[in-house]
């Protein structure tokens, strides 16, 4: 049977905040845009973001984008690109207003303006008093934003391919991206979408770890597709462990809890963050708080029968604040920890949460790769959101900057695609051999017979990632981990499905996701092994200091031969002075 | 514990049937965990799920006769044998996966976006905390479909009656002080079916995993219609 084909001006893969904010820009023009998502759009993981989105609106306390920029550069441990950070912090303000105009039900202040709360790593006046910069819809901000963006796309009649799984990018011999091969999950049928521009907005990859705040769907599909297309991943060693996952489960308890006045205690009831971050205390940057919790537990001050977690105290805030500002957390605490946060503290431990690294892009969302002594744009390919690396988060992302990143750069990518379409009016000729390669990735799973199960390999891979690429990383632990992970990768060809049916075969989807997890996970572990310093979320007891002389550079991991390359950090902002690297204390 | 789950693969089965599985149930196990364990035993078993914390709305199923979100339903609260079926009244695609097209169409039919005719201000449109409070209990909907697929009126007239979810959404926009399409929205709900097929059976209220109250929202719409017609 001949392969079915469709043609669009733009193809967006992923329907979270980045994909939908790119789509709405395009849908508001006369461009033909297709959004492909493996789940119905409002099931995308943006829906789970709780605390809010940063913008220097100054609705509660004095603020401006330049202070926001300083905090973000410092939070990144000076690995973020300062031009991209300036761009994001400036754009934050109109972006949040646009969201509000699009119907997002933000919480409100008495004067009718958008409610803003304090979050970790935020300051006034370049490192001064705590700022209040995070715009919130109670503790369901991501849900409120994702639904509003979906609704706007429904209004604009965006063409959605719901429950279609992206198999691989299609490219020609010059490396230009021509679209993607996708599969309709309901029928199991492949479909080729040709597009003049393709935007990867596939989100994160937290499922590479066993304990994670990420959803089942966060399997690094876009990052792995990029790797297979010969594109490197940047700064993958920087993976954020959120300090407050529900102990043993991983579900997230927003930083907004500490922003509203909650704090952490150990088994002695000691407010231990005072020792690690005398000024910011519980609102220090996430990497700092996560390491503090792990240290407390390692040194025997953990809580519970196994002394394996700490407590997050909220009960002193009173029922009114908790119900009004943190209703979702109260619900999660009840369901998953059996604790009513109004009366009892919540058991918490760091959980794998967010990948700072990703597909390298410029601030317009265009994917860039090394070429000669410089860099060049991959024709026809964009990336935005968690799967991309602009880089605004550097070695550590600040809370509230993730929703901001996906919205600002999703929008920027959508706008740049519009410009790009003016110059590229025609589809490039299709490259049949690339289509065949992509089809082979799909048909490979039709192989029958005995073999390893997807589940078994996935469980082992995720456990290995957790044990060997977690919060604290030594040469020995990581080197052993990389060998184990590569051995698991070598077993992939021996994995077999027992279910070869066509209709809504979720086992086949999980098999395709496993390949993506393996490629993305190894990028993380390998990049981590090679970086011999401690910076932001990458913490090495054997190299405890930051080493700006040798390591203030971005890493690039290539799948072919597991090769590493490096490129300089862009320290020159667009219009203001550079923030030079300083010691990072909170 | 003993589980009976509904199985159906259109390629090989003439009709859905129940299959028995034994699942070991540790403390704190959610229904989704149990379904994942069943999938571990038989990878051909299909159901939708994602976030695991009750916000994405993927894993609505019918368990022991009631629609629930699997990931936030403790197994300990369920009576053995636990019978898990797809949502009632929807075409079955496979096992627990149903076709929700009609449900989404009804949602889209109420024009679920803020309509603003005035020029947008440079900053946010102001809204007092009291005005914003009116959206609580409305905007939190996760489109899981537990309500509409437990509503007899929606079973009988899924193409004509909007169903509780879409009507809750209709009220969410009517209640938003930023929206300027009240008359058009109310006009669109006129007639014997879209709104008025609600017979206040209140299954929707009972099953909503987020504790929302579509019946009350429907009552608000009716009251506003009455007020605007005099």
């Amino acid at each position: 049977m001949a392969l079915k084909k469709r043609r669009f001006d733009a193809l967006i893969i992923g329907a979270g905040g980045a994909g939908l904010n790119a789509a709405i820009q395009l849908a508001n023009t006369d461009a033909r845009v297709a959004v492909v998502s493996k789940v119905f759009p409002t099931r995308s993981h943006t829906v789970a973001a709780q605390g809010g989105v940063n913008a220097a609106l100054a609705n509660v306390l004095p603020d401006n984008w330049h202070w926001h920029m300083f905090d973000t550069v410092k939070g990144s441990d000076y690995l973020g690109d300062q031009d991209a950070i300036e761009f994001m912090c400036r754009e934050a303000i109109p972006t949040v207003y646009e969201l509000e105009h699009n119907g997002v039900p933000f919480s409100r202040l008495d004067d009718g303006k958008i409610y803003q709360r304090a979050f970790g790593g935020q300051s006034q006046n370049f490192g001064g008093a705590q700022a209040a910069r995070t715009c919130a819809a109670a503790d369901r901000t991501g849900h409120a934003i994702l639904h509003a963006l979906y609704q706007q796309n429904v209004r604009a009649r965006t063409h959605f391919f719901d429950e279609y799984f992206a198999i691989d990018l299609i490219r020609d011999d010059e490396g230009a991206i021509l679209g993607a091969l996708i599969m309709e999950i309901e029928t199991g049928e492949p479909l080729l979408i040709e597009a003049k521009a393709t935007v990867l907005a596939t989100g994160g990859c937290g499922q590479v770890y066993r304990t994670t705040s990420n959803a089942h769907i966060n399997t690094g599909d876009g990052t792995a597709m990029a790797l297979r297309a010969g594109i490197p991943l940047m700064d993958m060693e920087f993976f954020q462990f959120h300090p407050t996952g529900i102990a043993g489960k991983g579900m997230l308890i927003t930083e907004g809890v500490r922003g509203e006045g909650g704090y952490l205690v150990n088994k002695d009831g000691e407010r231990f963050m005072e020792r690690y971050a005398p000024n910011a205390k519980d609102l220090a940057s996430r990497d700092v708080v996560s390491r503090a919790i792990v240290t407390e537990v390692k040194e025997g001050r953990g809580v519970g029968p196994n002394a394996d977690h700490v407590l997050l105290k909220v009960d002193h805030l009173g029922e009114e604040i908790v119900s009004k500002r943190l209703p979702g957390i109260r619900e999660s605490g009840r369901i998953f920890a059996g604790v009513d946060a109004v009366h009892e503290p919540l058991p918490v431990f760091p959980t794998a949460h967010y990948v700072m690294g990703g597909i390298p892009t410029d601030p317009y969302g265009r994917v860039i790769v090394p070429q000669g002594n410089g860099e060049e744009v991959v024709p026809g390919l964009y990336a935005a959101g968690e799967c991309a690396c602009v880089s605004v988060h550097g070695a550590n992302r600040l809370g509230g900057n993730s929703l901001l990143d996906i919205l600002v750069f999703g929008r920027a990518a959508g706008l740049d695609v519009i410009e790009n379409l003016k110059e590229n009016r025609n589809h490039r000729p299709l490259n049949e051999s690339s289509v065949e390669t992509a089809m082979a990735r799909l048909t490979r799973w039709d192989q029958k017979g005995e073999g390893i199960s997807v589940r078994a390999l996935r469980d082992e891979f995720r456990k290995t990632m957790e044990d060997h690429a977690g919060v604290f990383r030594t040469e020995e632990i990581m080197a052993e981990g990389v060998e184990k992970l590569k051995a698991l990768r070598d077993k992939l060809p021996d994995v077999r499905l027992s279910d070869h049916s066509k209709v809504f075969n979720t086992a086949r989807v999980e098999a395709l996701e496993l390949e993506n997890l393996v490629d993305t996970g190894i990028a993380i572990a390998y990049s981590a092994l090679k970086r011999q310093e401690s910076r932001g979320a990458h913490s090495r007891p054997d190299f405890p200091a930051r080493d700006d002389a040798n390591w203030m550079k971005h890493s690039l991991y290539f799948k072919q031969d597991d090769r590493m390359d490096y490129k300089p950090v862009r320290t020159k902002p667009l219009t203001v002075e550079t923030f030079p690297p300083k010691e990072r204390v909170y | 514990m003993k589980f009976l789950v509904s199985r159906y693969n259109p390629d090989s089965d003439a009709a859905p049937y129940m299959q028995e599985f034994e699942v070991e149930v540790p403390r704190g196990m959610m229904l989704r965990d149990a379904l994942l364990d069943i999938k571990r035993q038989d990878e051909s078993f299909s159901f939708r799920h994602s976030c695991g914390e009750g916000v994405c709305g993927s894993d609505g199923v019918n368990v022991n006769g009631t629609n629930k979100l699997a990931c936030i339903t403790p197994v300990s609260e369920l009576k053995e044998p636990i019978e898990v079926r797809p949502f009632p009244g929807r075409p079955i695609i496979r096992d627990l996966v149903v076709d929700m097209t009609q449900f989404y169409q009804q949602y889209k039919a109420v024009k679920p976006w803020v309509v603003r005719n005035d020029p947008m201000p440079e900053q946010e449109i102001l809204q007092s905390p009291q005005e914003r409070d009116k959206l609580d209990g409305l905007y939190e909907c996760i489109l899981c479909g537990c309500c509409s697929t437990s509503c007899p009126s929606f079973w009988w007239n899924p193409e004509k009656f909007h169903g509780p979810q879409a009507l809750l959404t209709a009220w969410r926009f009517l209640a938003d002080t930023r929206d300027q399409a009240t008359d058009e929205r109310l006009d669109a709900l006129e007639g014997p079916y879209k709104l008025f097929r609600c017979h206040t059976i209140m299954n929707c209220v009972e099953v909503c995993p987020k504790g929302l109250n579509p019946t009350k929202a429907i009552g608000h719409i009716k009251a506003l219609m009455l007020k605007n017609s005099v």
Side-chain angles (χ1 to χ4, degrees), chain B residues 28-74:
Chain B
M29 187 187 228
M30 297 291 161
L31 179 58
R32 182 181 82 133
D33 304 326
L35 296 178
L36 285 170
D37 191 277
I38 291 169
K39 191 167 177 59
R40 208 175 268 273
Q41 298 177 39
D42 177 354
E43 73 175 15
S44 73
F45 175 53
S46 282
F47 63 104
R48 294 184 177 107
H49 70 103
S50 181
C51 75
E53 53 187 48
V55 292
C56 80
S58 300
D59 64 352
V61 292
N62 185 275
V63 49
N64 291 347
T66 308
N67 289 353
K68 289 178 184 289
L69 217 48
C71 62
I72 55 170
T73 299

Side-chain angles (χ1 to χ4, degrees), chain A residues 340-421:
Chain A
D340 183 350
V342 169
H343 303 295
E344 287 171 86
L346 295 156
V348 294
F349 193 74
T351 182
H353 184 54
Y354 183 89
V355 63
M356 270 71 75
I359 303 159
T361 72
D362 66 14
Y364 309 102
R366 298 180 297 188
V367 173
I368 44 175
V369 291
Q371 176 63 37
N373 290 327
E375 293 183 299
E376 66 173 20
V377 166
V378 177
L381 187 62
Y382 290 76
E386 191 171 338
C387 72
C389 183
V390 199
S391 120
V392 286
H393 310 304
N396 171 67
R397 175 175 69 76
L398 294 186
N401 269 356
S402 171
L403 283 176
L404 182 60
D405 170 6
I406 67 176
L407 295 164
V408 165
F409 294 106
R411 184 173 188 274
L415 293 175
D416 201 80
V417 170
I418 293 170
E419 290 306 307
N420 183 317
L421 290 174

